[in-house]
Amino acid sequence: MASKIKPVFSEEKNPRGIPKAPFIADVDAYLGGQDADVESTLKGFQDALAKYRYMDSSLTQRRASLEEKIPDIKKTLIWLSKSKAKEDEDDLEDLEEEDGPAKPLKTTFELNDTLYAEAELEDTDTVYLWLGANVMLSYKLPAAITLLQSKLDVAQTSLNNTIEDLEFLREQLTIMEVNTARVYNWDVKRRRERRENEAARLAAGGKGDR
């Protein structure tokens, strides 16, 4: 009779639904005795390890993307905040002085990773933001700041969750690797004991024939 295949994953999961790997303290009890088939169990462990490694790879890529994205959002927010402060300052000066053009805002913009250029902005009331999929929309400064701050909050929360999930995953990978080694070693020991018992039985039978 074939032994019942034990579930590889625990019913317990982390907040994002990644299943926990149970540590097998008693291999004999887990497998169901000395006559248990370990091949299906080891295959299940290898499948679980493959799933954990795939999730680890996907989350590592997501973490890298977020760690690249968040500084860009922060830099844009800093620039928008300075532009808004300049706009408020110009509005105050307009109340005090009706004559004379508003002073342009001096800034720098990035051409590539190591090259920047200076620019003077005459009107900072409206900005254009890339939303993805080749879509760019214009926003008034307060609306742009609110939008980017919400995106920053979401990205930061996602990064924190991703780092937490990666730590959880690597712990589960270690547990599954230990479980695999324990079951494999249990099977090696069982085979050795069977060979020794068979050799002892044959030796005892040979003595009885004399």
Side-chain angles (χ1 to χ4, degrees):
M1 180 179 177
S3 60
K4 183 179 178 181
I5 299 176
K6 300 285 185 177
V8 176
F9 298 116
S10 168
E11 293 184 359
E12 185 179 351
K13 299 178 180 180
N14 84 335
R16 262 73 58 192
I18 300 175
K20 186 175 182 180
F23 174 71
I24 301 174
D26 188 338
V27 176
D28 192 80
Y30 177 82
L31 293 175
Q34 287 292 316
D35 294 328
D37 173 31
V38 301
E39 295 301 323
S40 59
T41 299
L42 289 174
K43 183 180 184 303
F45 286 177
Q46 292 302 317
D47 290 344
L49 282 168
K51 291 176 182 178
Y52 278 139
R53 286 173 181 142
Y54 176 78
M55 286 187 282
D56 181 86
S57 175
S58 297
L59 288 174
T60 298
Q61 292 178 13
R62 181 189 300 176
R63 178 179 181 175
S65 175
L66 288 168
E67 287 178 340
E68 181 180 354
K69 178 181 180 180
I70 287 174
D72 288 341
I73 297 177
K74 287 181 176 179
K75 284 192 296 184
T76 305
L77 267 174
I78 290 172
W79 184 88
L80 290 176
S81 297
K82 288 181 178 180
S83 298
K84 182 67 170 62
K86 178 66 169 56
E87 182 187 29
D88 294 341
E89 180 184 331
D90 290 343
D91 290 343
L92 181 60
E93 289 179 356
D94 288 343
L95 292 176
E96 297 174 351
E97 300 179 8
E98 293 296 333
D99 299 329
K103 296 178 181 178
L105 173 65
K106 292 184 179 181
T107 185
T108 58
F109 60 94
E110 186 176 359
L111 297 177
N112 59 36
D113 291 340
T114 58
L115 183 61
Y116 291 80
E118 290 187 352
E120 289 187 354
L121 305 179
E122 297 294 340
D123 182 11
T124 58
D125 179 63
T126 302
V127 294
Y128 291 83
L129 299 179
W130 283 107
L131 301 182
N134 295 323
V135 176
M136 176 183 278
L137 291 179
S138 65
Y139 291 88
K140 295 296 184 181
L141 284 173
I145 292 172
T146 300
L147 175 65
L148 282 181
Q149 186 61 57
S150 68
K151 287 185 175 293
L152 177 61
D153 293 341
V154 169
Q156 190 62 59
T157 299
S158 180
L159 177 60
N160 294 340
N161 290 340
T162 299
I163 292 173
E164 183 180 308
D165 288 347
L166 280 169
E167 292 173 353
F168 178 81
L169 267 174
R170 283 157 191 174
E171 180 181 342
Q172 307 322 302
L173 276 166
T174 299
I175 292 173
M176 286 307 306
E177 287 168 349
V178 170
N179 286 343
T180 300
R182 286 174 61 81
V183 170
Y184 178 80
N185 292 337
W186 179 90
D187 186 43
V188 169
K189 180 182 178 183
R190 178 183 64 169
R191 292 173 185 272
R192 183 176 67 247
E193 289 175 348
R194 284 179 174 177
R195 287 196 301 269
E196 291 173 351
N197 291 337
E198 181 66 16
R201 186 184 67 80
L202 292 175
K207 289 179 182 179
D209 293 338
R210 292 178 184 176

